[in-house]
């Protein structure tokens, strides 16, 4: 049963987890009385030694990812995690509790739907070159000059972009033309303890399913087709690949995320977008004194597994792009974490040591971190920032942009993209006949072909919406300058070259004056105040600059 995370409800998405060293098979539930763990081998330990240590600690290996030393284990021993952590061949065991989720929709991404003042609907359309009917609402295209770049380089079908998210609605008419059914995979079977009753008997939703909407929205920004319907993406001719890693409830587990990243490397994907963050710990720390020894060991395992998986994908040709986060925080000077753990136990205050704690995956190796901007070019109030982790800035939407103008608190300040019809119906925005309800007019759009086939679109905001803009430009760079991949077909370009060209062609933007920006005038508390450090060529709000698709495809590599 779907549970959407909006206005207090929850969200939906489901998938298939599998071991990358054996044929794909559905994941089975742990035996009654057993718990599931993701176990991480110590550096230098062989797979055989790790398995022996797991068995000695009272566990049974269900599946394994030898490439990064990660094992899925079941055990009925109450002290399994303690024994595994003490084993020389193992770093530790993370119990299969949710360790990642997409940003909370009712707090940030769907702020417009919570505003019932009547001032949120509508907003003026932007002028500019259009490929599709609703492109005049995509102010982000103009900000990064993608409306011009697509005339030169619309993307190549030989370039593959993985959407590691809640799934992708592969049947959406704006995504279907370039959706790869053969490359797409599901990695996260439904878990009834967090997702509710399974939607299919196997608890494994088919490829091309998104019962949440978040992944479909991300995919549309990257590569919605320029086909005369709805909207078009930054790179409208690249191939989109679903890497479903999210649960129906919106959580992400460690093993599915690791599986997806390793698969991306093995399958030869060119770019992977990651618009999620890792829990139950807002920051995963090596040895936070506020945490118990068991919690410390769990976090060390998560850190090691994520680093290995990200490095594996990078080393196998995948350019990694990640959302910087919606916690209005300088990632180089984090606040005390009062929200963790957010699953399985009550949260407690955790002072965060910046040198030994990480917000994953964006603070992991080789990840291009993206902050969010509103239509004015100002940093969105919710967006994380900071010179330590930021790479570039991109349109992510800001509902409260345009204070003092008619655009203040309008939907048009956000990012419009593709969305599944059934999710909109569950939200109460569209009726059972496919008609947009009056209260959703201006927030939801419907565009139909003469044959009656319709696509649906809605507004969201967040660094989750900024990241796919950058992923789309990265895909254009590979399309423009990539070389034939003789092993797998299509095109390929080393991730380091993609990253450097993205930075070199970004439009530099200096810090605002004064550097300390207050958002109290738009109704935010002082906690949202943000200081922009750095110079014009690199600073905490914009990184190397605002991504520029036109420069990326016209300046030599």
């Amino acid at each position: 049963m779907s549970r959407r995370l909006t206005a207090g409800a929850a969200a939906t998405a489901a998938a298939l987890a599998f071991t990358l060293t054996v044929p794909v098979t559905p994941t089975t539930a742990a035996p009654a009385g057993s718990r599931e763990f993701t176990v991480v081998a110590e550096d230098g330990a062989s797979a055989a030694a790790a398995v022996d240590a797991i068995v000695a600690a009272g566990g049974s290996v269900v599946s394994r990812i030898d490439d990064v030393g990660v094992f899925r284990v079941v055990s009925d021993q109450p002290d399994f995690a303690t024994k595994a952590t003490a084993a020389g061949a193992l770093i530790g065991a993370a119990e299969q509790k949710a360790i990642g989720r997409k940003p909370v929709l009712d707090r940030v991404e769907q702020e417009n739907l919570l505003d019932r003042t009547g001032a949120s609907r509508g907003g003026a359309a932007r002028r500019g070159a259009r490929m599709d009917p609703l492109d005049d609402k995509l102010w982000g295209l103009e900000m990064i000059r993608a409306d011009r770049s697509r005339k030169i380089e619309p993307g190549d079908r030989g370039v593959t972009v993985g959407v590691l998210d809640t799934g992708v609605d592969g049947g959406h008419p704006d995504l279907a033309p370039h959706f790869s059914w053969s490359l797409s995979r599901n990695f996260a079977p439904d878990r009834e303890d967090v997702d509710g009753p399974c939607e299919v008997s196997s608890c494994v939703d088919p490829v091309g399913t998104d019962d949440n909407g978040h992944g479909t929205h991300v995919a549309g920004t990257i590569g919605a087709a320029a086909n005369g319907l709805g909207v078009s993406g930054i790179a409208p001719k690249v191939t989109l690949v679903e890497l479903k890693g999210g649960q129906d409830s919106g959580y992400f587990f460690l093993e599915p995320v690791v599986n997806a990243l390793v698969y991306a490397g093995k399958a030869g994907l060119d770019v992977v977008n990651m618009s999620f963050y890792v829990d139950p710990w807002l920051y995963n720390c090596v040895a936070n004194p506020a945490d118990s020894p068991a919690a410390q060991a769990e976090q060390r395992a998560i850190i090691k597994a994520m680093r290995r998986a990200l490095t594996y994908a990078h080393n196998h040709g995948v350019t990694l792009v990640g959302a910087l986060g919606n916690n209005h925080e300088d990632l180089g000077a984090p606040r005390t974490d009062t929200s963790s753990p957010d699953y399985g136990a009550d949260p407690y205050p955790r002072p965060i040591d910046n040198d030994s704690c990480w917000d994953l995956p964006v603070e992991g190796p080789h990840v291009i971190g993206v902050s969010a901007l509103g239509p004015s070019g100002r940093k969105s109030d919710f967006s994380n920032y900071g010179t330590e982790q930021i790479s570039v800035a991109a349109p992510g939407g800001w509902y409260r942009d345009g204070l003092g103008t008619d655009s203040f608190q309008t939907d048009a300040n956000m990012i419009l993209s593709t969305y599944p019809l059934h999710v909109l119906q569950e939200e109460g925005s569209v009726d059972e006949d496919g008609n947009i309800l009056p209260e959703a007019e201006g927030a939801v759009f419907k565009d139909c072909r003469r044959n009656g086939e319709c696509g649906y679109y809605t507004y969201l905001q967040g660094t989750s919406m900024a990241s796919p803009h950058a992923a789309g430009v990265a895909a254009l760079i590979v399309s423009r300058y990539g070389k034939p991949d003789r092993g797998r077909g299509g095109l390929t370009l080393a991730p380091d070259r993609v990253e450097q060209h993205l930075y070199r062609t970004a439009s530099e933007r200096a810090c605002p004056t004064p550097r300390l920006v207050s958002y109290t005038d738009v109704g935010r508390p002082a906690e949202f105040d943000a200081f922009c450090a750095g110079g014009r060529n690199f600073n905490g709000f914009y990184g190397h600059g605002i991504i520029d698709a036109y420069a990326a495809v016209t300046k030599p590599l």
Side-chain angles (χ1 to χ4, degrees), residues 164-181:
L164 208 177
D165 213 291
T166 62
V168 175
D169 180 3
H172 192 290
D174 241 344
L175 302 178
H178 303 302
F179 181 78
S180 175
W181 296 91

Side-chain angles (χ1 to χ4, degrees), residues 57 79-88 90-93 293-294 296-298 300:
D79 58 350
F80 171 76
T82 300
K83 289 182 177 179
T85 300
L90 305 175
I91 291 175
Q296 292 177 1
E298 178 181 87
R300 286 195 293 271

Side-chain angles (χ1 to χ4, degrees), residues 188-433:
D190 283 348
R191 294 175 56 94
E192 293 192 356
D193 58 335
V194 294
D195 301 325
C198 294
E199 294 158 318
V200 295
S201 59
S202 66
C203 291
V204 176
D205 286 352
V207 161
T209 300
D210 182 9
D211 293 324
N212 185 302
H214 192 265
T216 298
H217 196 280
V218 165
T221 295
I222 296 169
N227 57 356
L229 181 78
V231 300
S232 53
I234 306 300
K237 288 190 176 181
V238 300
T239 295
L240 297 170
V241 179
E242 172 193 348
L243 303 175
K244 186 180 286 188
Q247 303 298 135
D248 282 5
S249 53
Y251 288 98
F252 284 69
F253 287 87
L254 177 62
E255 188 199 23
V257 172
V258 170
N259 258 320
L261 288 167
V262 174
Y263 170 79
K266 287 180 175 289
L269 302 191
D270 296 294
V271 180
V272 167
N273 185 82
M274 299 176 291
S275 288
F276 64 91
Y277 58 96
V278 174
D279 300 280
W281 312 100
L282 180 60
Y283 288 89
N284 286 277
C285 304
V286 173
N288 193 324
D291 298 329
S292 68
Q296 292 177 1
E298 178 181 87
Q299 291 170 66
R300 286 195 293 271
I302 291 170
I303 292 167
K304 182 64 72 172
M306 287 298 297
R307 285 179 171 174
R308 286 177 181 170
L310 292 166
T311 299
Y312 182 92
H314 172 85
N315 289 345
H316 286 76
V318 182
T319 297
L320 301 164
V321 185
L324 208 60
N326 298 340
N327 203 40
H328 56 276
E329 185 166 34
D330 183 344
L331 290 178
R335 300 187 299 269
T336 295
D337 173 19
T338 59
S339 64
S340 301
D342 63 1
Y343 179 88
D346 293 331
Y348 52 87
R350 305 171 65 233
I352 299 300
D353 171 33
N354 187 53
D355 293 332
S356 60
C357 300
W358 292 271
D359 178 4
L360 296 169
V362 73
E363 290 192 294
H366 311 297
V367 179
I368 298 168
V370 188
S371 67
L373 307 176
S376 67
R378 296 179 61 196
K379 184 187 81 68
S380 307
D381 55 9
F382 54 77
S383 179
N384 285 348
Y385 59 98
T387 55
E388 183 175 292
Q389 297 301 333
I390 192 171
S391 302
V392 289
W398 183 22
Y399 179 64
R400 304 187 187 205
D401 205 353
L403 180 65
T405 73
D406 291 341
S407 66
F408 179 62
Q409 293 187 321
T410 58
D411 299 315
N413 286 335
M414 301 169 71
I415 303 299
L416 185 70
S417 191
T418 47
Y419 222 62
L421 168 60
H422 73 283
V423 177
L424 291 169
Q425 290 172 326
E426 290 170 2
E427 286 182 359
S429 299
V430 176
D431 68 20
E432 61 181 8
D433 295 323

Side-chain angles (χ1 to χ4, degrees), residues 82 112 149 195 255 269 347 373 398 448 481 490-491 522 557:
T82 300
N112 61 329
S149 68
D195 301 325
E255 188 199 23
L269 302 191
L373 307 176
W398 183 22
C448 301
Y481 304 107
L491 299 174
V522 295
L557 189 66

Side-chain angles (χ1 to χ4, degrees), residues 7-280:
T12 58
L16 168 66
F18 67 91
T19 299
L20 292 169
T21 52
V22 297
V24 178
T25 55
T27 299
T28 56
S34 296
R35 294 180 295 164
E36 293 184 44
F37 299 85
T38 301
V39 179
V40 182
E42 186 60 82
D43 289 338
S46 68
V51 171
D52 287 345
I54 290 168
V55 172
S60 298
V61 175
V62 177
S63 63
R64 49 199 279 183
I65 315 172
D66 289 356
D67 301 280
V68 291
V70 173
F71 303 82
R72 187 165 69 87
V73 175
V74 296
S75 177
D76 59 4
Q77 300 299 307
D79 58 350
F80 171 76
T82 300
K83 289 182 177 179
T85 300
L90 305 175
I91 291 175
E95 189 173 352
Q96 279 281 44
K97 299 181 297 187
I99 60 92
R101 59 189 173 92
K102 68 181 185 64
V104 181
L105 290 175
D106 62 344
R107 182 171 63 87
V108 174
E109 292 190 350
Q110 290 185 319
E111 181 184 356
N112 61 329
L113 298 188
L114 295 182
D115 184 351
R116 302 305 184 190
T117 65
S120 64
R121 300 283 75 86
R126 270 78 177 178
R127 297 175 61 189
R130 298 193 308 172
M131 285 188 168
D132 283 344
L134 298 178
D135 281 0
D136 60 351
K137 304 180 187 304
L138 306 185
W139 54 268
L141 291 180
E142 294 182 50
M143 176 177 284
I144 68 170
R145 298 203 293 174
D147 54 337
R148 297 176 60 186
S149 68
R150 299 180 307 177
K151 298 177 181 179
I152 299 171
E153 178 57 77
D156 190 289
R157 296 199 69 167
V159 173
T160 49
V161 183
V163 181
L164 208 177
D165 213 291
T166 62
V168 175
D169 180 3
H172 192 290
D174 241 344
L175 302 178
H178 303 302
F179 181 78
S180 175
W181 296 91
S182 61
L183 287 175
S184 294
R185 296 288 185 274
N186 298 334
F187 297 95
D190 283 348
R191 294 175 56 94
E192 293 192 356
D193 58 335
V194 294
D195 301 325
C198 294
E199 294 158 318
V200 295
S201 59
S202 66
C203 291
V204 176
D205 286 352
V207 161
T209 300
D210 182 9
D211 293 324
N212 185 302
H214 192 265
T216 298
H217 196 280
V218 165
T221 295
I222 296 169
N227 57 356
L229 181 78
V231 300
S232 53
I234 306 300
K237 288 190 176 181
V238 300
T239 295
L240 297 170
V241 179
E242 172 193 348
L243 303 175
K244 186 180 286 188
Q247 303 298 135
D248 282 5
S249 53
Y251 288 98
F252 284 69
F253 287 87
L254 177 62
E255 188 199 23
V257 172
V258 170
N259 258 320
L261 288 167
V262 174
Y263 170 79
K266 287 180 175 289
L269 302 191
D270 296 294
V271 180
V272 167
N273 185 82
M274 299 176 291
S275 288
F276 64 91
Y277 58 96
V278 174
D279 300 280

